[in-house]
Amino acid sequence: MGAQAEPSICPFPPYLEDLRALCHPDPSSPALHEETLRSTAYTEVTTILRWLSSAFAPATKRAYEKEVHRFCCWALFVARKPLRAMTRGDLEAYETFLLDPPGSWCAIRNRRRNDGAWRPFEGALSEKSRTFAFGVLENLFSFLVDAKIVVQNPVRELRRLRKAITSGRKKPSASLPWKSFDLLVEQLKAECLRVRAGSRQHLEAERMLFVILFMASTGIRAEELVCVRLSDLCCLPPTSYRDESWSLFIGSAKERLESISLNRTAVYAIWRYLTARGIPFPPACSSVPLLSRLGSNQQSIPLTRDAVYYLFKKALSRVADNIEREYPEDASRFRKATPHWLRVTYCRNAADTGHSLPTIQRQVRHRSIVTTADNVQIQNVWRLLRD
């Protein structure tokens, strides 16, 4: 765009008032020869000046005037069209122009506007600056539509088109595919074997494995996990040849919620972690936290939610470093993951194994108070799983 737009404009009109004077129908302008264009632009700029002076605070007016002035100069000197003739394609061309304004339109920062060397740009605009510029233009065209100066708002049309295109793309799932999750668990188990049993490093590795395995097997939140005590574990005696049925009461620091069921993987995670801590399984009913600090003398001190987040990120970062060369995509995915991904991973697995939506809802949502936000979130996860 820069190579196509090098009009000779000297001096550059530093303000919208100067641009309007340049468009006055009486004198002939060296830059604008079309009389109709000058007359129409004069009317449009006059209307814009009235809009800026009456609708905005001084600071907002300066920011808006800067963007409107840039666009009006581009419309007259480059596109050579009045605002009422602007189309969506023109707006796309202006966006390209902002990415690479020609040298004759740029000058160093803090030039005085009355200085003949002043120019409307210092260089290419950042994404944030372009977003702001088009937000100002959308407001401008909305005003011009209301004032019956233009028929439609091309900026709004462009935004809607791009939103429709973006919404049609399938966003990456915020969960771990089971192949990736299996790889993660294998690496964490290998980490447990690499260090000496009973050492602090071994306890840390076992704790990492427990957090990943247990959260992905239950859909439990980090803030719920840190409140679990050994007394919250419940085992019903077998009534037939089937295995014992384990459940867990979960809650927060302020309330006690209903129980959730534990599958075999979750029970295995508890057994393995408690064994590493030297706690017999099944554990005796006590106030000892299920997830505690390291060290035999600190097992009565639970972790915090922030500590669980740090533990999770540390575990996945360590695995990502180990598999970087062989599994670069998985390594990248692990570095982006958050504990919430394990919650979605649980939902995805539950859906894949035939569990109904109400069953998944009972397992992952707050059970004492079911809010509209809870249901909306779960419905969105369900739609994600079914896609």
Side-chain angles (χ1 to χ4, degrees):
M1 185 67 193
Q4 298 175 357
E6 290 282 357
S8 178
I9 309 165
C10 189
F12 228 102
Y15 295 97
L16 275 174
E17 291 87 347
D18 300 296
L19 184 63
R20 181 178 62 169
L22 193 63
C23 297
H24 198 281
D26 291 338
S28 60
S29 169
L32 299 173
H33 301 290
E34 301 89 342
E35 182 178 350
T36 302
L37 175 59
R38 288 192 288 111
S39 177
T40 303
Y42 183 86
T43 302
E44 291 176 345
V45 175
T46 300
T47 305
I48 292 171
L49 287 170
R50 187 168 64 249
W51 171 61
L52 290 172
S53 62
S54 62
F56 300 103
T60 305
K61 178 184 175 182
R62 286 194 298 270
Y64 272 48
E65 192 272 343
K66 177 180 180 180
E67 300 302 336
V68 172
H69 176 246
R70 285 171 167 175
F71 181 70
C72 288
C73 287
W74 177 85
L76 295 173
F77 301 133
V78 179
R80 307 194 74 82
K81 297 172 67 173
L83 301 190
R84 67 184 60 184
M86 287 291 159
T87 64
R88 191 179 67 217
D90 292 320
L91 270 297
E92 291 175 339
Y94 180 61
E95 186 175 33
T96 303
F97 182 88
L98 296 181
L99 289 168
D100 184 25
S104 61
W105 287 61
C106 301
I108 61 175
R109 184 187 293 267
N110 296 329
R111 283 280 192 183
R112 292 183 179 275
R113 287 212 173 193
N114 292 327
D115 183 350
W118 177 88
R119 294 294 182 269
F121 295 97
E122 298 164 15
L125 267 62
S126 65
E127 180 179 359
K128 182 178 179 180
S129 297
R130 295 195 307 273
T131 300
F132 177 76
F134 275 82
V136 172
L137 295 181
E138 184 171 355
N139 288 338
L140 168 63
F141 275 98
S142 294
F143 165 76
L144 294 177
V145 169
D146 294 339
K148 301 186 184 305
I149 300 295
V150 302
V151 177
Q152 57 188 3
N153 189 334
V155 185
R156 184 167 297 169
E157 289 183 1
L158 179 62
R159 178 173 59 83
R160 287 175 177 172
L161 174 64
R162 291 182 173 176
K163 184 177 180 180
I165 294 174
T166 303
S167 62
R169 299 171 183 165
K170 188 174 181 179
K171 295 182 179 179
S173 173
S175 67
L176 297 175
W178 276 103
K179 285 187 177 181
S180 299
F181 182 75
D182 287 343
L183 175 63
L184 174 63
V185 172
E186 289 176 4
Q187 289 292 319
L188 290 174
K189 286 183 177 179
E191 185 72 17
C192 294
L193 295 174
R194 275 195 290 268
V195 293
R196 181 174 56 85
S199 65
R200 183 181 180 86
Q201 292 78 12
H202 181 259
L203 289 175
E204 182 183 35
E206 288 287 352
R207 190 174 62 176
M208 288 179 179
L209 175 62
F210 168 73
V211 168
I212 301 300
L213 205 53
F214 189 74
M215 293 183 71
S217 301
T218 59
I220 193 173
R221 298 177 177 89
E223 57 265 32
E224 296 169 339
L225 177 58
V226 298
C227 294
V228 175
R229 301 296 182 266
L230 296 184
S231 57
D232 295 325
L233 291 170
C234 178
C235 177
L236 298 179
T239 57
S240 64
Y241 63 89
R242 297 179 179 177
D243 293 333
E244 297 175 341
S245 177
W246 285 88
S247 61
L248 173 70
F249 286 96
I250 63 172
S252 65
K254 295 183 180 180
E255 60 179 344
R256 177 73 166 250
L257 305 180
E258 296 179 7
S259 64
I260 62 172
S261 61
L262 299 180
N263 58 29
R264 292 183 182 182
T265 305
V267 176
Y268 164 77
I270 295 175
W271 165 80
R272 177 167 180 148
Y273 178 51
L274 293 183
T275 300
R277 290 167 60 184
I279 299 177
F281 186 87
C285 181
S286 71
S287 61
V288 173
L290 178 60
L291 187 61
S292 69
R293 292 186 180 181
L294 299 175
S296 57
N297 60 339
Q298 293 185 305
Q299 292 201 20
S300 61
I301 305 176
L303 293 186
T304 63
R305 176 186 175 181
D306 291 341
V308 173
Y309 180 87
Y310 171 77
L311 185 68
F312 173 88
K313 296 297 288 186
K314 183 178 181 181
L316 270 71
S317 177
R318 181 177 297 180
V319 172
D321 291 340
N322 293 337
I323 66 171
E324 184 75 54
R325 290 186 178 181
E326 190 173 0
Y327 304 100
E329 292 184 3
D330 287 312
S332 176
R333 184 180 292 112
F334 291 160
R335 291 193 174 96
K336 295 177 183 177
T338 66
H340 180 72
W341 286 36
L342 297 180
R343 188 170 170 82
V344 182
T345 299
Y346 166 79
C347 293
R348 182 180 294 279
N349 182 59
D352 290 343
T353 53
H355 289 79
S356 65
L357 175 59
T359 300
I360 298 176
Q361 286 178 320
R362 285 194 298 270
Q363 184 78 3
V364 301
R365 72 187 177 189
H366 282 295
R367 280 146 291 275
S368 59
I369 302 177
V370 180
T371 66
T372 302
D374 289 327
N375 281 325
V376 169
Q377 180 185 20
I378 295 170
Q379 291 285 354
N380 289 338
V381 170
W382 182 259
R383 282 194 293 269
L384 172 67
L385 301 179
R386 295 292 88 189
D387 288 341

